[in-house]
Amino acid sequence: MDFGYWTPIYGGFLRNVGDEAMPATWEYVKRLSQLADRLGYHTTLVPELYLNDRKGIEAPSLEAWSLSSAILAVTERLRVMTAVRAGFHLPAVTAKESATITDIAGTSSESARFALNVVAAWWEEEAKQYGGAFTRHDERYRQAEEFVDILRGLWNDTPFSYTGEHFSVHDSILSPKPVAQPPIFAGGESEGGRESIATFADSYVLHGGTVDEVRAKIADMNNRSQRIHGRDMAEFGMSAYVIVRDTEAQARAELDRITTVDPHSPGYASFEEFARNSELDVELTKREYSVGTRGLRPELVGTPEIVADKIRAYQDAGLTLLLIQCSPAHEELERIATQVFPLVPEVRFEVIAV
């Protein structure tokens, strides 16, 4: 099991709490990234949204790709998984950007430090404001397949040509090639989405779920990948909101605080649009709305021992990467690394003294 976390591009993760002491600024993200690097976190997921879906569309948020380059430049071991939505990017330009970013990143002792999370856009209002292509649900996955085909084609061949329904390139030259090709992650729950992801992605990322739900999805995706490619998927990541406290009562009190739902809060409208435009295989509750990505569904709430026991159950189910949301991140990531990491077997971490 590797531990990762979400970079708080929105100024936090909580829709019901205003100021989380995590300003949407490079200075804060830099401090958090260097702390996480020192604590031994394996991966940070940098989400890509041009509007703020947690605090309301008029609230500040940061752009994923420029932020990812900066994080890689000021850290040494941390892998950056950057979200990319095919409807907002040209694949040949993204291939070029990726080659440059992998040069900035270099490699850790184990693997490439830059990865891509290919995302099917769900927010129609954002697409209108920023000129993104917003297509039907299954069509977005076919668009993503073409996008990844061109990325890999340009990373491998020169010149490279490709003609698809959504994207085309002709005798395109990419030089230099990436120092190490970024692994491709993707997530989706519909039948069409899972089949498409098994075709073009190396690894699968899940919204939060119960152990049984996660085990079933991992088995399903490995079966699809074996049928298509003759191999299992490389990694399985899951988003989860984590609350660790000295006592169970303290942890539950914090959970109550962050889940007091205000339907008039600025982020509620984007939550409703997400639910409308995503073919999810479980029903969202208003409590789950509080943090997004169904992060509360795994119930990683309690003392270090309780949370570690639950994480080990996910590890036994086949999960390999836990992508943590917590608030405020600079305090909670340190608490989790200090109190939970040592209780989970085979976690690859080494805290660097300062």
Side-chain angles (χ1 to χ4, degrees), residues 223-241:
N223 287 338
R224 293 174 193 265
S225 185
Q226 284 286 351
R227 171 171 49 80
I228 296 168
H229 303 291
R231 56 166 172 76
D232 286 348
M233 304 207 82
E235 297 181 57
F236 288 95
M238 181 186 74
S239 296
Y241 192 89

Side-chain angles (χ1 to χ4, degrees), residues 81-288:
M81 182 198 303
T82 306
V84 59
R85 295 171 298 166
F88 288 80
H89 295 263
L90 295 173
V93 174
T94 301
K96 184 73 171 179
E97 291 168 335
S98 299
T100 300
I101 291 175
T102 59
D103 188 31
I104 294 169
T107 56
S108 68
S109 59
E110 298 175 351
S111 61
R113 292 185 60 218
F114 180 60
L116 288 175
N117 179 26
V118 178
V119 181
W122 56 265
W123 201 351
E124 189 171 5
E125 173 61 26
E126 183 201 33
K128 290 177 182 176
Q129 291 194 26
Y130 277 83
F134 190 82
T135 56
R136 292 181 299 106
H137 181 272
D138 287 353
E139 190 67 22
R140 295 201 292 272
Y141 284 101
R142 288 190 286 273
Q143 182 185 50
E145 284 189 53
E146 292 185 13
F147 191 88
V148 173
D149 285 345
I150 293 175
L151 290 181
R152 290 198 173 115
L154 285 166
W155 290 341
N156 286 306
D157 300 321
T158 295
F160 176 73
S161 295
Y162 183 97
T163 301
E165 294 180 13
H166 298 278
F167 304 108
S168 297
V169 294
H170 303 285
D171 293 331
S172 297
I173 296 170
L174 177 64
S175 181
K177 303 293 185 188
V179 175
Q181 286 194 16
I184 303 293
F185 288 74
E189 298 182 346
S190 67
E191 171 61 28
R194 291 192 203 186
E195 186 70 9
S196 182
I197 289 165
T199 301
F200 72 78
D202 303 303
S203 299
Y204 186 61
V205 285
L206 303 85
H207 285 177
T210 66
V211 172
D212 287 342
E213 289 168 348
V214 168
R215 182 184 292 111
K217 288 177 182 178
I218 288 173
D220 174 72
M221 292 305 296
N222 276 336
N223 287 338
R224 293 174 193 265
S225 185
Q226 284 286 351
R227 171 171 49 80
I228 296 168
H229 303 291
R231 56 166 172 76
D232 286 348
M233 304 207 82
E235 297 181 57
F236 288 95
M238 181 186 74
S239 296
Y241 192 89
V242 178
I243 300 174
V244 175
R245 294 293 185 270
D246 293 337
T247 69
E248 178 77 1
Q250 290 171 340
R252 290 291 160 184
E254 173 64 6
L255 178 62
D256 289 343
R257 182 184 76 87
I258 69 172
T259 56
T260 301
V261 175
D262 176 6
H264 303 294
S265 64
Y268 198 78
S270 65
F271 163 75
E272 291 186 314
E273 185 169 346
F274 169 75
R276 236 183 355 259
N277 290 324
S278 302
E279 295 184 13
L280 304 177
D281 57 0
V282 297
E283 183 180 355
L284 290 174
T285 68
K286 286 185 169 60
R287 194 188 81 160
E288 289 166 344

Side-chain angles (χ1 to χ4, degrees), residues 14-18 52-59 123 262-271 289:
L14 304 174
R15 291 193 171 102
N16 301 314
V17 178
N52 192 326
D53 82 321
R54 304 296 173 96
K55 306 298 185 183
I57 63 173
E58 295 183 359
W123 201 351
D262 176 6
H264 303 294
S265 64
Y268 198 78
S270 65
F271 163 75
Y289 144 82

Side-chain angles (χ1 to χ4, degrees), residues 5 26 30 33-34 36-38 41-46 67-82 98-117 178-185 235 352:
Y5 68 98
W26 163 237
K30 177 182 178 181
S33 302
Q34 292 177 324
D37 199 36
R38 178 176 66 80
Y41 282 88
H42 181 273
T43 298
T44 185
L45 170 60
V46 183
L67 197 63
S68 296
S69 298
I71 293 170
L72 287 163
V74 300
T75 55
E76 296 181 0
R77 300 183 299 172
L78 186 67
R79 180 175 68 173
V80 174
M81 182 198 303
T82 306
S98 299
T100 300
I101 291 175
T102 59
D103 188 31
I104 294 169
T107 56
S108 68
S109 59
E110 298 175 351
S111 61
R113 292 185 60 218
F114 180 60
L116 288 175
N117 179 26
V179 175
Q181 286 194 16
I184 303 293
F185 288 74
E235 297 181 57
I352 299 174

